[in-house]
Amino acid sequence: DTEVTQTPKHLVMGMTNKKSLKCEQHMGHRAMYWYKQKAKKPPELMFVYSYEKLSINESVPSRFSPECPNSSLLNLHLHALQPEDSALYLCASSQEQGAVYGYTFGSGTRLTVV
Amino acid sequence: QQQVKQSPQSLIVQKGGISIINCAYENTAFDYFPWYQQFPGKGPALLIAIRPDVSEKKEGRFTISFNKSAKQFSLHIMDSQPGDSATYFCAASIDQAGTALIFGKGTTLSVSS
């Protein structure tokens, strides 16, 4: 299995809702990443997990809460989002933390906040 | 100094032509330079990457040229095909620090048949 699987593919949520994004990989990768991508923009790093521990938080607002329950699974919990948070949320993984290992990206979750 | 500047923003090339995308950086600590390809509705995928101790790397129709003194690198797509139509991102990182990628703003390539 050489894929990163993200669910759901699409999500519409109200500003008072709580939802979660899920990311799964079975490549034995020990680093996992959350990126946010707005239309026609590059991906922006949000969080990095290495060996299931939070390694990097790019000053992301607390309404985004990451969780890494095990080495194969990464969640992003969403609460009280704003319309400007609407974007494509990408999960990626790599063998170890570091771009040199090459990131494998999922196809993303298209999030719309209404 | 953490930026990677990419040009052009968009590019139209005839089928069979050469596509050239350029990137420039300021931080001399960067030591890993990948290119990612992204199709609509998909996540980016690693295409090819280079280290600064090499001036050129070729994989099939894709070539990275690297100019360390000018702090520039470029992607050349030879014999461009309609299936190459996608958004291309150059990027850079500092390997020793295990830092995440700094992406350029992207180039949308359209190859016309």
Side-chain angles (χ1 to χ4, degrees), chain A residues 33 35 37 40-43 45 48 56 88 90 97-103 105-108 110, chain B residues 32 34 36 38 41-46 51 89 93 95 97-101 103-106 108:
Chain A
Y33 310 79
Y35 277 84
Q37 186 175 30
K40 299 191 183 300
K41 298 289 186 184
L45 181 66
V48 180
I56 297 175
L88 180 68
L90 293 163
Q97 183 177 339
V100 70
Y101 294 97
Y103 294 173
F105 281 89
S107 292
R110 177 75 60 187
Chain B
Y32 176 70
Y36 278 78
Q38 185 174 24
K42 298 291 186 183
L46 179 62
R51 295 275 206 173
F89 294 99
S93 72
D95 181 27
T99 60
L101 287 172
F103 283 96
K105 289 188 182 296
T108 301

Coordinates of all heavy atoms in Angstrom, one line a residue, chain A residues 33 35 37 40-43 45 48 56 88 90 97-103 105-108 110, chain B residues 32 34 36 38 41-46 51 89 93 95 97-101 103-106 108:
Chain A
Y33 N 2.0 14.9 8.3 CA 1.8 16.3 8.1 C 0.4 16.7 7.8 O -0.3 16.0 7.0 CB 2.7 16.8 7.0 CG 4.2 16.3 7.0 CD1 4.5 15.0 6.6 CD2 5.2 17.2 7.5 CE1 5.8 14.6 6.6 CE2 6.5 16.7 7.5 CZ 6.8 15.4 7.0 OH 8.1 15.0 7.1
Y35 N -1.4 19.9 5.8 CA -1.2 21.2 5.1 C -2.6 21.7 4.7 O -3.6 21.0 4.6 CB -0.5 20.9 3.7 CG 1.0 20.8 3.8 CD1 1.7 19.6 4.2 CD2 1.8 21.9 3.5 CE1 3.0 19.6 4.3 CE2 3.2 21.9 3.6 CZ 3.8 20.7 4.0 OH 5.2 20.6 4.0
Q37 N -4.4 24.2 1.8 CA -4.2 24.8 0.5 C -5.4 25.5 0.0 O -6.5 24.9 -0.2 CB -3.8 23.7 -0.5 CG -3.4 24.3 -1.9 CD -2.9 23.2 -2.9 OE1 -3.3 22.0 -2.8 NE2 -2.0 23.6 -3.8
K40 N -5.4 28.0 -6.0 CA -4.3 28.6 -6.8 C -3.2 29.1 -5.9 O -2.5 30.0 -6.3 CB -4.9 29.7 -7.7 CG -5.9 29.2 -8.7 CD -6.2 30.3 -9.7 CE -7.3 29.9 -10.7 NZ -7.0 28.7 -11.5
K41 N -3.0 28.5 -4.8 CA -1.9 28.8 -3.9 C -1.1 27.5 -3.5 O -1.6 26.4 -3.7 CB -2.5 29.4 -2.6 CG -3.3 30.7 -2.8 CD -2.3 31.8 -3.1 CE -3.1 33.1 -3.2 NZ -2.2 34.2 -3.6
P42 N 0.1 27.7 -3.0 CA 0.8 26.5 -2.6 C 0.3 26.0 -1.3 O -0.3 26.7 -0.5 CB 2.3 27.0 -2.5 CG 2.1 28.5 -2.2 CD 0.9 28.9 -2.9
P43 N 0.6 24.7 -1.0 CA 0.3 24.2 0.3 C 1.0 24.9 1.5 O 2.2 25.3 1.3 CB 0.7 22.7 0.3 CG 0.8 22.4 -1.2 CD 1.2 23.7 -1.8
L45 N 2.1 24.7 5.5 CA 2.2 23.7 6.6 C 1.5 24.1 7.8 O 1.5 25.3 8.2 CB 3.7 23.6 6.9 CG 4.0 22.6 8.0 CD1 3.7 21.1 7.6 CD2 5.5 22.7 8.5
V48 N 3.2 19.1 12.1 CA 4.1 17.9 11.8 C 4.1 17.0 13.0 O 4.3 17.5 14.1 CB 5.5 18.3 11.4 CG1 6.3 17.0 11.1 CG2 5.6 19.3 10.2
I56 N 6.0 20.0 15.0 CA 5.9 21.4 14.5 C 4.5 21.8 14.5 O 3.6 21.1 14.1 CB 6.5 21.6 13.1 CG1 8.0 21.3 13.1 CG2 6.3 23.0 12.6 CD1 8.6 21.3 11.7
L88 N -8.7 23.3 0.8 CA -8.3 21.9 0.7 C -7.3 21.5 1.8 O -6.3 22.2 1.9 CB -7.7 21.6 -0.7 CG -7.3 20.2 -1.0 CD1 -8.6 19.3 -1.1 CD2 -6.5 20.1 -2.3
L90 N -4.8 18.9 3.2 CA -4.0 17.8 2.7 C -3.2 17.2 3.8 O -2.6 17.9 4.7 CB -3.0 18.3 1.6 CG -3.5 18.8 0.3 CD1 -2.5 19.7 -0.4 CD2 -4.0 17.7 -0.5
Q97 N 10.9 12.4 9.5 CA 10.6 13.8 9.4 C 11.7 14.5 8.5 O 12.9 14.3 8.8 CB 10.6 14.6 10.7 CG 10.2 16.0 10.6 CD 10.1 16.7 11.9 OE1 9.9 16.1 12.9 NE2 10.2 18.0 11.9
G98 N 11.3 15.2 7.5 CA 12.3 15.8 6.6 C 11.9 15.7 5.2 O 11.5 14.6 4.7
A99 N 11.9 16.8 4.4 CA 11.5 16.8 3.1 C 12.3 15.8 2.2 O 11.8 15.3 1.2 CB 11.5 18.2 2.5
V100 N 13.6 15.6 2.6 CA 14.4 14.8 1.7 C 13.9 13.3 1.6 O 14.3 12.6 0.6 CB 15.9 14.7 2.4 CG1 15.9 13.9 3.7 CG2 16.9 14.2 1.4
Y101 N 13.0 12.9 2.5 CA 12.5 11.6 2.4 C 11.4 11.5 1.3 O 10.9 10.4 1.0 CB 12.0 11.1 3.7 CG 13.1 10.9 4.7 CD1 13.4 11.9 5.6 CD2 13.9 9.8 4.7 CE1 14.5 11.8 6.5 CE2 14.9 9.6 5.6 CZ 15.2 10.6 6.5 OH 16.3 10.5 7.4
G102 N 10.9 12.7 0.9 CA 9.8 12.7 -0.1 C 8.5 12.5 0.5 O 8.3 11.5 1.2
Y103 N 7.6 13.5 0.3 CA 6.3 13.4 0.9 C 5.4 12.6 0.0 O 5.4 12.8 -1.2 CB 5.7 14.8 1.1 CG 6.4 15.7 2.1 CD1 6.0 17.0 2.2 CD2 7.4 15.2 2.9 CE1 6.6 17.9 3.1 CE2 8.1 16.1 3.8 CZ 7.7 17.4 3.9 OH 8.3 18.2 4.8
F105 N 1.5 12.6 -0.5 CA 0.3 13.4 -0.2 C -1.0 12.5 -0.4 O -1.0 11.7 -1.4 CB 0.2 14.7 -1.0 CG 1.0 15.8 -0.5 CD1 2.3 15.9 -1.0 CD2 0.5 16.7 0.4 CE1 3.1 17.0 -0.5 CE2 1.3 17.8 0.8 CZ 2.6 17.9 0.4
G106 N -2.0 12.8 0.4 CA -3.3 12.3 0.1 C -4.0 13.2 -0.9 O -3.4 14.3 -1.3
S107 N -5.2 12.9 -1.3 CA -6.0 13.7 -2.3 C -6.7 14.9 -1.6 O -7.3 15.7 -2.3 CB -7.0 12.9 -3.1 OG -6.3 12.0 -3.9
G108 N -6.7 14.9 -0.3 CA -7.2 16.0 0.4 C -8.7 15.9 0.8 O -9.5 15.1 0.3
R110 N -11.9 18.5 0.9 CA -12.3 19.9 0.5 C -13.3 20.4 1.5 O -14.4 19.8 1.6 CB -13.0 19.8 -0.9 CG -13.6 21.1 -1.4 CD -12.5 22.1 -1.9 NE -11.7 21.6 -3.0 CZ -10.7 22.2 -3.5 NH1 -10.3 23.3 -2.9 NH2 -10.0 21.6 -4.4
Chain B
Y32 N 18.1 21.0 -0.2 CA 17.3 20.0 -0.9 C 16.2 20.7 -1.7 O 15.5 21.6 -1.2 CB 16.6 19.1 0.1 CG 15.7 18.0 -0.5 CD1 16.2 17.0 -1.3 CD2 14.3 18.1 -0.2 CE1 15.3 16.0 -1.8 CE2 13.5 17.2 -0.8 CZ 14.0 16.1 -1.6 OH 13.1 15.2 -2.1
P34 N 13.1 20.0 -4.3 CA 12.3 19.1 -5.1 C 11.3 19.9 -5.9 O 11.0 21.1 -5.7 CB 11.5 18.3 -4.0 CG 11.4 19.4 -2.9 CD 12.6 20.2 -3.0
Y36 N 7.2 19.4 -7.2 CA 6.0 18.6 -7.0 C 5.1 19.0 -8.1 O 5.0 20.1 -8.6 CB 5.4 18.9 -5.6 CG 6.0 18.1 -4.5 CD1 7.2 18.5 -4.0 CD2 5.4 17.0 -4.0 CE1 7.8 17.7 -2.9 CE2 5.9 16.2 -3.0 CZ 7.1 16.6 -2.5 OH 7.7 15.9 -1.4
Q38 N 1.0 18.7 -9.3 CA -0.3 18.6 -8.8 C -1.4 18.7 -9.9 O -1.5 19.7 -10.6 CB -0.6 19.6 -7.7 CG -2.0 19.4 -7.0 CD -2.2 20.4 -5.8 OE1 -1.6 21.5 -5.7 NE2 -3.0 20.0 -4.8
G41 N -7.8 18.4 -8.1 CA -8.5 17.4 -7.3 C -7.6 16.4 -6.6 O -8.1 15.4 -6.0
K42 N -6.3 16.5 -6.8 CA -5.3 15.6 -6.2 C -4.3 16.4 -5.3 O -4.2 17.6 -5.5 CB -4.6 14.9 -7.3 CG -5.4 14.0 -8.2 CD -6.0 12.8 -7.5 CE -6.8 11.9 -8.4 NZ -7.4 10.7 -7.7
G43 N -3.6 15.6 -4.5 CA -2.6 16.2 -3.7 C -1.3 16.3 -4.6 O -1.2 15.6 -5.6
P44 N -0.3 17.1 -4.2 CA 0.9 17.1 -4.9 C 1.7 15.8 -4.9 O 1.5 15.1 -3.9 CB 1.7 18.2 -4.2 CG 0.7 19.0 -3.4 CD -0.4 18.0 -3.1
A45 N 2.4 15.5 -5.9 CA 3.2 14.3 -6.0 C 4.7 14.7 -6.3 O 4.9 15.5 -7.2 CB 2.7 13.3 -7.0
L46 N 5.6 14.1 -5.6 CA 7.0 14.3 -5.9 C 7.4 13.9 -7.3 O 7.1 12.8 -7.7 CB 7.9 13.6 -4.9 CG 9.4 13.8 -5.0 CD1 9.8 15.2 -4.9 CD2 10.1 12.9 -4.0
R51 N 20.1 18.0 -5.1 CA 20.9 18.5 -4.1 C 21.8 19.6 -4.7 O 22.2 19.5 -5.8 CB 21.7 17.4 -3.4 CG 20.9 16.4 -2.7 CD 20.6 16.8 -1.3 NE 20.3 15.7 -0.4 CZ 20.2 15.8 0.9 NH1 20.3 17.0 1.4 NH2 19.9 14.8 1.6
F89 N 5.0 22.9 -8.5 CA 5.6 23.7 -7.4 C 7.0 23.4 -7.2 O 7.4 22.2 -7.1 CB 4.8 23.4 -6.1 CG 3.4 23.8 -6.1 CD1 2.4 22.9 -6.3 CD2 3.1 25.1 -5.8 CE1 1.1 23.2 -6.3 CE2 1.7 25.5 -5.7 CZ 0.7 24.6 -6.0
S93 N 14.2 23.0 1.2 CA 14.2 22.7 2.6 C 15.6 22.6 3.1 O 16.6 22.5 2.3 CB 13.4 21.4 3.0 OG 14.1 20.3 2.5
D95 N 17.8 20.1 5.0 CA 17.7 18.7 5.4 C 18.1 18.4 6.8 O 17.5 17.7 7.5 CB 18.6 17.9 4.4 CG 18.5 16.4 4.7 OD1 17.5 15.9 5.3 OD2 19.5 15.7 4.4
A97 N 18.1 20.1 9.4 CA 17.1 20.6 10.4 C 15.8 19.8 10.4 O 15.0 20.0 11.3 CB 16.9 22.1 10.3
G98 N 15.6 18.9 9.4 CA 14.4 18.2 9.3 C 13.2 19.1 9.1 O 12.1 18.8 9.4
T99 N 13.5 20.3 8.5 CA 12.4 21.2 8.3 C 11.5 20.8 7.2 O 11.8 20.0 6.3 CB 12.9 22.6 7.9 OG1 13.7 22.5 6.7 CG2 13.8 23.2 9.0
A100 N 10.3 21.3 7.2 CA 9.3 21.0 6.2 C 9.6 21.9 5.0 O 10.4 22.8 5.0 CB 7.9 21.3 6.7
L101 N 8.9 21.6 3.9 CA 9.2 22.3 2.6 C 8.7 23.7 2.6 O 7.6 24.0 3.2 CB 8.5 21.5 1.5 CG 9.1 20.2 1.1 CD1 8.2 19.5 0.1 CD2 10.4 20.4 0.4
F103 N 7.3 26.0 -0.2 CA 6.9 25.9 -1.6 C 7.0 27.3 -2.3 O 6.7 28.3 -1.7 CB 5.5 25.4 -1.6 CG 5.3 23.9 -1.4 CD1 5.0 23.5 -0.1 CD2 5.4 23.0 -2.4 CE1 4.8 22.1 0.1 CE2 5.2 21.7 -2.2 CZ 4.9 21.2 -0.9
G104 N 7.3 27.2 -3.6 CA 7.0 28.4 -4.4 C 5.5 28.5 -4.7 O 4.7 27.7 -4.3
K105 N 5.1 29.6 -5.4 CA 3.7 29.9 -5.6 C 3.0 29.0 -6.6 O 1.8 29.0 -6.7 CB 3.5 31.4 -5.9 CG 3.8 32.3 -4.7 CD 3.4 33.7 -5.1 CE 3.8 34.7 -3.9 NZ 3.0 34.4 -2.7
G106 N 3.8 28.3 -7.4 CA 3.2 27.4 -8.4 C 3.2 28.0 -9.8 O 3.1 29.2 -10.0
T108 N 1.0 27.1 -13.4 CA 0.0 26.3 -14.1 C 0.5 26.1 -15.5 O 0.6 27.0 -16.3 CB -1.3 26.9 -14.0 OG1 -1.7 27.1 -12.6 CG2 -2.4 26.1 -14.7

